[in-house]
Amino acid sequence: MTNTTGTTVEFDELLASARELSLAGRWDRALRLLDATTCDTAGDRARLALAAAEVALQSDWFGGTDLTAGRAEQAEKVASGADWDLAFVRLRHAYFRLLRSEGAFRPGPEGKDPDALARLRRDAHDLREDAPDEVRRGWASMYLGLIADNLFAERTAAPAHYETALGAGESGGDDLLVREALRHLGDHDHDAGDHDGALERWRRATALGARAGMVPGVLTQQLLLAVLARDTGDEAGATALAREIARWAGAIGADPVHAQVAGFLAGADPTAPPQESGA
């Protein structure tokens, strides 16, 4: 594998570097690195296109761009057949599109196509059943929980999926999956009034995100710690932390994160659960 200057680079190292750039919020740099790379085999070209779609998804989620659909389509064109990882990108993108509307996060089923919601849940279930390993099965379970929680407003159904994801992440050594599960299990602790449980999970999730180099994710996790500070009466501490999160988010171009923090500083609760189904 070579890049456009003719320098030979170990392909797995290049993909890992692009992924780490993406986690750090350097989405443009990661995509430029991948786009400057040429591959000798069809299999490597498919992996390259998949990596670009994954970077695009991170950019859309944290940076407010709209890149995933085009990158996923490119990856489909070079895929050599059914690809679980690409299907998972598609699932996550569909979830994201249903969760965010007109630039704002809008959880719950209200105003959403019931057929689209049902199809997304079926796709997540199929991915869980077809997963090639335990970690991927855990990621599919994680999204089954997120879909139940944030799109169907089925709050009681979600934690079991998160627990499954947590176990898969712990046994498979996937810090990001563990972080994601702890983040959302802590949210349920918080809603139940268990601030100590939420604090323990959210502190650990913050540390795991930092260890993985996930800069925007660490900022969103720190916002949850600011929520707990406010809930326990430390408004000064909550405000000071949130202002620093806003400063960081603005500096790296994480506009959706910056908007969420601005809402928090204005008094909004970013952890407020969606309206229950049928309510």
Side-chain angles (χ1 to χ4, degrees):
M1 187 283 302
T2 60
N3 65 19
T4 53
T5 65
T7 303
T8 299
V9 180
E10 208 286 319
F11 191 47
D12 287 340
E13 285 297 319
L14 183 138
L15 294 182
S17 296
R19 184 171 185 263
E20 291 186 6
L21 285 168
S22 179
L23 288 173
R26 303 297 188 184
W27 308 293
D28 288 346
R29 175 71 71 182
L31 287 173
R32 287 200 300 271
L33 174 63
L34 295 170
D35 289 343
T37 301
T38 57
C39 300
D40 298 329
T41 69
D44 282 351
R45 286 191 290 273
R47 292 176 65 197
L48 190 70
L50 171 64
E54 292 171 339
V55 171
L57 186 60
Q58 288 283 315
S59 178
D60 288 359
W61 184 271
F62 288 113
T65 54
D66 187 17
L67 304 174
T68 306
R71 291 288 182 166
E73 184 176 346
Q74 292 176 30
E76 292 273 9
K77 290 178 180 178
V78 297
S80 57
D83 186 297
W84 191 97
D85 293 307
L86 182 54
F88 187 52
V89 168
R90 291 282 198 191
L91 177 92
R92 292 162 65 197
H93 185 232
Y95 166 80
F96 170 67
R97 295 293 294 270
L98 285 166
L99 186 61
R100 191 173 80 172
S101 174
E102 298 176 356
F105 286 96
R106 305 187 189 281
E110 185 178 355
K112 298 181 173 70
D113 180 357
D115 291 337
L117 293 175
R119 182 167 57 252
L120 187 67
R121 177 177 268 172
R122 286 195 303 271
D123 289 346
H125 181 272
D126 290 345
L127 282 170
R128 185 184 65 184
E129 297 304 303
D130 296 339
D133 56 59
E134 191 63 27
V135 167
R136 286 182 175 91
R137 190 172 299 111
W139 274 110
S141 293
M142 186 70 225
Y143 271 80
L144 278 168
L146 292 172
I147 291 163
D149 222 347
N150 295 329
L151 295 180
F152 283 89
E154 296 172 353
R155 295 288 286 174
T156 58
H161 295 299
Y162 300 152
E163 291 285 2
T164 298
L166 178 62
E170 296 273 23
S171 63
D174 188 326
D175 282 354
L176 293 177
L177 178 54
V178 173
R179 170 205 175 268
E180 195 73 16
L182 289 171
R183 175 178 171 83
H184 291 277
L185 285 167
D187 183 53
H188 283 261
D189 291 337
H190 173 257
D191 285 351
D194 182 3
H195 290 169
D196 289 341
L199 181 61
E200 181 181 356
R201 292 191 202 265
W202 283 348
R203 279 177 170 170
R204 186 173 173 222
T206 304
L208 287 170
R211 186 162 73 184
M214 192 181 188
V215 175
V218 169
L219 297 181
T220 60
Q221 201 58 44
Q222 286 179 328
L223 179 58
L224 296 181
L225 298 179
V227 168
L228 278 181
R230 173 177 286 173
D231 287 349
T232 54
D234 184 7
E235 183 62 31
T239 298
L241 178 55
R243 284 175 176 164
E244 288 307 307
I245 297 166
R247 195 189 317 276
W248 275 57
I252 66 172
D255 295 339
V257 179
H258 189 276
Q260 190 178 41
V261 180
F264 174 80
L265 287 168
D269 180 4
T271 68
Q275 185 177 5
E276 291 286 345
S277 297

